Amino acid sequence: MDKIIFSGVQPSGTPSLGNYLGAFKQFPKFEEAHKVYLCVVDEHAITVRQKPEDLHHNTLAIAAWYLASGINPNVSTIFIQSHVPAHTQLGWMLSTLTYMGELERMTQYKDKSQKKAENLNAGLFTYPALMAADILLYDTHAVPVGEDQKQHLELARNLAIRFNNAFGDTFVVPEFMAPPAGARVRDLQNPEKKMSKSEPGPGTILLTDTPQEAAKKIKRAQTDNEARIVYDPENQAGISNLLEILAACTNRTPQQAVMEFEGQQYGALKAAVAESVVFALEDIQAKYKSYMDDKAELTRILREGSEKANTHAEKTLNRVKDKLGFVIPFSA
Ligand code: TRP
């Protein structure tokens, strides 16, 4: 049986170049050897207040960006979380196995609760149990996520093990999967932090930026006074980030990309990065537009995705209900 990969993306805001290089672009490669589930997690997104029309648009847009990145919907399953009721159902069941202390320790919760003190809702707190449900419903073997999600994934693993120990073998215990180059795209103005889509600024390239805007941001990217192009994220974070972006756009490692710049100046590196980013953006934006302009096709793909997802998720959910002692719904 093919190994199963699951990942979720929040439909909040417009995806950044970092999201594209670190995540979206990696998925078509996974399709060769894995069964891929890609979920647009609208139920997660509402833990932060969303404007309904934005949430609606962003949910379809995220799906279109994934498809534009080359995910093949005939091979992979791409769907919207709220189209598969089993997510919230299993999320509830898992929340009864999750300890308050475990949730209180979550770094993302601690961060968000400081920033969003005015809307410190219960969903923000129990979010990791829902994320565990997302993953465990599909017998997932591996979850490709950034470092910032590692703690949530660890909880999903612990819940799977806890459930299996208490009620008998039910869940596959998922593994963390470190994404390859491009996973660590940093903010162009502040390479200490990751290129965020939730707080876009002059150091963020959004996938909707025009190629000219993107090129301008790259030309203004923060560098340093070392005047040498080496891949050394510790000491030359800005330069290393540019190399990381170039490498990801051109399907190389940063160590390979750096070789062509020996003895060259920062301007040459920036020009090469800008060129490769513009090339990537033009390609993906054209494909994105073709999906957004054909909503009938987009919704057909998402409907088929939710049918496939529901079939798998229902099976897992019934297994869980049975183990818990729930009476399985009577069929006619
Ligand atoms: N929490 C993830 C994020 O904020 C999104 C997410 C939800 C997810 N469910 C998931 C990622 C399941 C991987 C697997 O980015």
Side-chain angles (χ1 to χ4, degrees), residues 5-299:
I5 285 193
F6 182 98
S7 199
V9 177
Q10 295 211 41
S12 50
T14 301
S16 72
L17 182 69
N19 298 125
Y20 171 62
L21 295 176
F24 295 22
K25 191 173 186 263
Q26 309 297 335
F27 279 90
K29 295 186 212 159
F30 297 145
E31 282 180 339
E32 291 158 22
H34 301 86
K35 198 164 157 31
V36 174
Y37 284 95
L38 272 178
C39 183
V40 187
V41 292
D42 52 354
E43 290 164 338
H44 283 275
I46 60 168
T47 56
V48 174
R49 190 65 71 88
Q50 304 284 332
K51 267 205 202 135
E53 60 271 30
D54 289 353
L55 181 63
H56 189 103
H57 169 84
N58 288 336
T59 301
L60 295 173
I62 286 284
W65 284 119
Y66 265 134
L67 291 163
S69 308
I71 270 289
N72 178 350
N74 298 318
V75 176
S76 297
T77 302
I78 174 164
F79 68 103
I80 296 172
Q81 186 182 30
S82 64
H83 293 184
V84 181
H87 288 248
T88 45
Q89 293 177 293
L90 183 62
W92 168 255
M93 296 169 198
L94 292 178
S95 77
T96 67
L97 272 100
T98 309
Y99 305 121
M100 298 292 284
E102 287 177 304
L103 296 174
E104 279 159 5
R105 275 201 295 280
M106 292 292 164
T107 329
Q108 193 171 61
Y109 172 73
K110 286 196 267 184
D111 282 358
K112 286 198 177 177
S113 59
Q114 268 164 12
K115 285 189 205 146
K116 311 270 175 205
E118 79 287 0
N119 180 20
L120 201 48
N121 63 79
L124 206 54
F125 188 64
T126 57
Y127 174 119
L130 179 60
M131 175 161 161
D134 299 340
I135 296 166
L136 299 183
L137 275 175
Y138 299 96
D139 304 305
T140 302
H141 297 98
V143 184
V145 279
E147 285 289 324
D148 64 321
Q149 295 299 317
K150 223 171 165 174
Q151 205 183 13
H152 292 159
L153 182 60
E154 198 56 40
L155 178 73
R157 287 171 52 82
N158 289 336
L159 288 174
I161 294 167
R162 192 171 301 158
F163 191 102
N164 289 348
N165 287 340
F167 300 101
D169 230 12
T170 307
F171 292 124
V172 173
V173 181
E175 304 279 341
F176 174 72
M177 185 169 176
R184 281 181 26 98
V185 173
R186 322 300 296 171
D187 188 279
L188 294 169
Q189 289 305 326
N190 182 4
E192 309 308 315
K193 60 174 214 182
K194 83 170 188 179
M195 188 184 280
S196 154
K197 68 173 189 264
S198 44
E199 294 156 42
T204 306
I205 293 175
L206 295 177
L207 290 186
T208 48
D209 282 357
T210 64
Q212 294 79 354
E213 284 167 340
K216 202 188 268 176
K217 287 177 185 173
I218 291 164
K219 300 250 155 79
R220 292 183 181 160
Q222 191 198 90
T223 55
D224 53 50
N225 299 320
E226 300 285 333
R228 51 183 186 139
I229 302 177
V230 290
Y231 184 67
D232 178 0
E234 288 282 308
N235 299 307
Q236 287 186 255
I239 291 300
S240 301
N241 188 36
L242 289 171
L243 285 166
E244 188 104 37
I245 293 171
L246 179 63
C249 285
T250 53
N251 302 311
R252 289 178 292 174
T253 65
Q255 289 80 3
Q256 286 167 330
V258 76
M259 293 200 280
E260 67 185 80
F261 293 102
E262 216 175 308
Q264 300 218 46
Q265 309 215 317
Y266 289 167
L269 174 62
K270 285 184 169 179
V273 174
E275 191 188 345
S276 72
V277 168
V278 164
F279 186 79
L281 277 184
E282 282 173 345
D283 176 59
I284 187 183
Q285 286 176 350
K287 292 176 182 152
Y288 167 78
K289 188 169 179 314
S290 74
Y291 282 106
M292 289 304 271
D293 287 348
D294 187 356
K295 289 276 161 43
E297 173 65 0
L298 186 59
T299 50

Side-chain angles (χ1 to χ4, degrees), residues 313-325:
E314 273 300 314
K315 252 191 227 157
T316 310
L317 190 67
N318 276 335
R319 205 161 71 220
V320 173
K321 285 181 179 171
D322 188 44
K323 290 280 168 64
L324 286 173

